Amino acid sequence: MSDSTIDPRSLRTPPRRPLRLSWSDERVRGIVWQVLVVGLVGSIVWWLWSNTVHNLEVRRIATGFGFLTREAGLPIAEHVIDYSPTDTYFRALMVGLLNTLKVAIVGIILATILGTLIGIARLSKNWLLAKLAAVYVEVIRDLPLLLQLLFWYAILQGLPGPRQAIHPMEGVFLSNRGLKLPWIEWQDGHSYALLMLILGAVATWLYRRQALARQMRDGRPRPVWPVGLGLTLGLPLVVWAAAGAPWTVDWPALRGFNFQGGLNVSPEYFALLLGLVLYTAGFIAEIVRAGIQAVALGQWEAAQALGLRSGQVLKLIVLPQALRVIIPPMTSQYLNITKNSSLAVAIGYQDIVSIANTTLNQTGQAIEGIAIIMLVYLTISLSISLFMNWYNARIALVER
């Protein structure tokens, strides 16, 4: 190594040249071009806005969001919260938003589980299992999603009626009216217990972080499961018992021409969820497969040399490292499954798009209706992106 030393003065940032009001100065040119572009975009936006307002005034079309407080008179077959046609348009749109979230959240969870299993199956040493997974991925990704939704909806509509419903097990019925499942008689006490379960899970996660931090300082491991069991199981049970909520199962039963009681999964929701999950799982499977293959082969060999089984190697060694490759493209699939849920209008499921379209047809305020749809999907997509970016930053390797 050379004994010569580097002059610290040579590492200093050179002084910035003063700004000269001359076209030859690249900074002046950059500022001028940016001002011109911003001015051009602003002029186009102002022209579009003024032209739209003028045309609406000429045609005497009402503007604004005052229609949200008027009675909707819109029947909605499936709703998470209480709703009747005498409610306002705002509540009708809230029902549509919750229906969209019900599809998106459940679809993301199920597609992640199914896609992960299929992605792992593609790498299986079992020839038949690997080939079946490969055929599934290739077929499902090459068919348009709308065609798949129509296919599953037609299949469900072709099922026998309630009197000849498919009855695979006690309390489960599948017919052209949908899927009927046993369910508990939900009361306020169950809602409080569910809230405590969520809070207990969060508290357990925080305690686990604190226990790991203390272990890193003094080297003494601290068991987490007793505290976690008490927070996630004991606390909800105490709240449930204190609230006096009964644990009564509501079994579906055939009465007349349809089933009464239990949990009903409508054919429209079932077909939409089934199509979205199966379609998106094909893409997630390829992401998971690529993430696992991105982990160096030496990691497998080192783990097997320690005597770990294949399942333990995958769970403890490979998948945690593969997540750093999987998470970024997985975010795009979560956004896709949320936006693709807007195809629900093709099979009659009343999501935010369907209800907003009916609203703008009844009120004639198309701009406001479309703006509401855009705002809903933009908010959901940004929320998913922020959460996934936070999680991706959390699991990223910290370089020194």
Side-chain angles (χ1 to χ4, degrees):
M1 180 180 296
S2 174
D3 295 335
S4 60
T5 57
I6 301 175
D7 188 356
R9 291 174 295 180
S10 62
L11 300 177
R12 295 177 182 175
T13 304
R16 298 187 62 180
R17 295 183 293 105
L19 185 65
R20 295 183 300 113
L21 297 179
S22 172
W23 189 253
S24 61
D25 193 326
E26 67 276 5
R27 289 177 295 174
V28 172
R29 294 198 303 270
I31 294 174
V32 170
W33 283 116
Q34 292 181 48
V35 171
L36 290 176
V37 170
V38 172
L40 178 62
V41 173
S43 300
I44 294 174
V45 172
W46 177 83
W47 178 81
L48 291 174
W49 175 259
S50 60
N51 189 50
T52 302
V53 172
H54 173 71
N55 291 334
L56 291 175
E57 291 177 351
V58 169
R59 292 164 175 79
R60 297 181 181 180
I61 298 177
T63 57
F65 293 91
F67 70 94
L68 293 176
T69 59
R70 301 206 304 261
E71 181 180 323
L74 173 64
I76 302 178
E78 190 167 350
H79 44 82
V80 179
I81 58 177
D82 294 333
Y83 174 81
S84 68
T86 58
D87 289 328
T88 61
Y89 281 111
F90 178 77
R91 190 167 185 85
L93 291 171
M94 286 298 300
V95 171
L97 171 61
L98 293 177
N99 286 346
T100 298
L101 291 176
K102 184 171 69 171
V103 172
I105 295 174
V106 177
I108 286 173
I109 295 173
L110 295 180
T112 302
I113 296 174
L114 180 61
T116 302
L117 294 177
I118 295 174
I120 295 174
R122 287 210 63 184
L123 300 174
S124 174
K125 296 180 180 179
N126 187 309
W127 182 88
L128 180 59
L129 181 61
K131 292 303 179 183
L132 288 176
V135 169
Y136 171 86
V137 170
E138 295 301 327
V139 171
I140 210 73
R141 296 198 309 167
D142 291 338
L143 295 176
L145 175 58
L146 180 58
L147 180 61
Q148 296 187 41
L149 294 180
L150 295 175
F151 171 78
W152 291 116
Y153 185 62
I155 290 293
L156 293 176
Q157 289 296 311
L159 291 175
R163 292 184 178 275
Q164 295 81 30
I166 301 174
H167 185 39
M169 62 182 67
E170 182 66 25
V172 179
F173 300 91
L174 182 62
S175 68
N176 56 9
R177 302 292 181 89
L179 178 65
K180 299 293 292 187
L181 301 169
W183 193 245
I184 61 174
E185 295 182 359
W186 198 266
Q187 298 183 9
D188 291 340
H190 298 108
S191 300
Y192 299 147
L194 178 61
L195 179 60
M196 289 299 103
L197 175 63
I198 296 173
L199 294 178
V202 174
T204 302
W205 177 72
L206 293 175
Y207 177 78
R208 178 177 178 274
R209 289 191 60 185
Q210 186 180 22
L212 290 176
R214 290 181 178 178
Q215 182 179 352
M216 294 298 293
R217 287 196 300 266
D218 55 22
R220 292 166 47 198
R222 293 168 173 81
V224 178
W225 70 266
V227 177
L229 191 63
L231 290 174
T232 57
L233 184 60
L235 185 60
L237 288 176
V238 170
V239 172
W240 170 75
W247 190 265
T248 304
V249 179
D250 187 13
W251 295 89
L254 181 64
R255 295 187 178 94
F257 297 100
N258 201 358
F259 292 98
Q260 300 294 330
L263 175 66
N264 180 49
V265 182
S266 66
E268 293 80 12
Y269 177 76
F270 196 10
L272 178 63
L273 185 64
L274 189 62
L276 288 175
V277 169
L278 294 179
Y279 180 76
T280 310
F283 292 89
I284 292 178
E286 286 297 275
I287 294 173
V288 171
R289 180 184 64 83
I292 293 176
Q293 289 183 327
V295 178
L297 185 60
Q299 298 290 318
W300 291 86
E301 296 173 345
Q304 291 171 353
L306 294 175
L308 298 178
R309 298 188 300 272
S310 298
Q312 293 177 319
V313 175
L314 188 64
K315 176 183 176 182
L316 303 175
I317 307 297
V318 176
L319 280 180
Q321 298 183 67
L323 279 178
R324 300 181 178 94
V325 181
I326 292 173
I327 291 301
M330 190 80 81
T331 304
S332 299
Q333 295 306 317
Y334 290 168
L335 297 177
N336 288 338
I337 199 173
T338 302
K339 292 181 288 187
N340 288 337
S341 66
S342 61
L343 295 174
V345 67
I347 57 176
Y349 180 73
Q350 292 175 295
D351 67 334
I352 185 63
V353 175
S354 175
I355 296 177
N357 283 335
T358 305
T359 299
L360 65 89
N361 287 330
Q362 291 181 351
T363 61
Q365 298 185 245
I367 295 178
E368 290 82 355
I370 294 174
I372 290 174
I373 297 174
M374 294 173 61
L375 180 62
V376 166
Y377 280 102
L378 180 63
T379 303
I380 297 175
S381 297
L382 288 178
S383 301
I384 294 175
S385 298
L386 288 175
F387 174 78
M388 296 300 291
N389 289 337
W390 168 82
Y391 183 70
N392 186 43
R394 178 175 174 79
I395 65 174
L397 291 174
V398 180
E399 298 182 359
R400 298 180 178 179

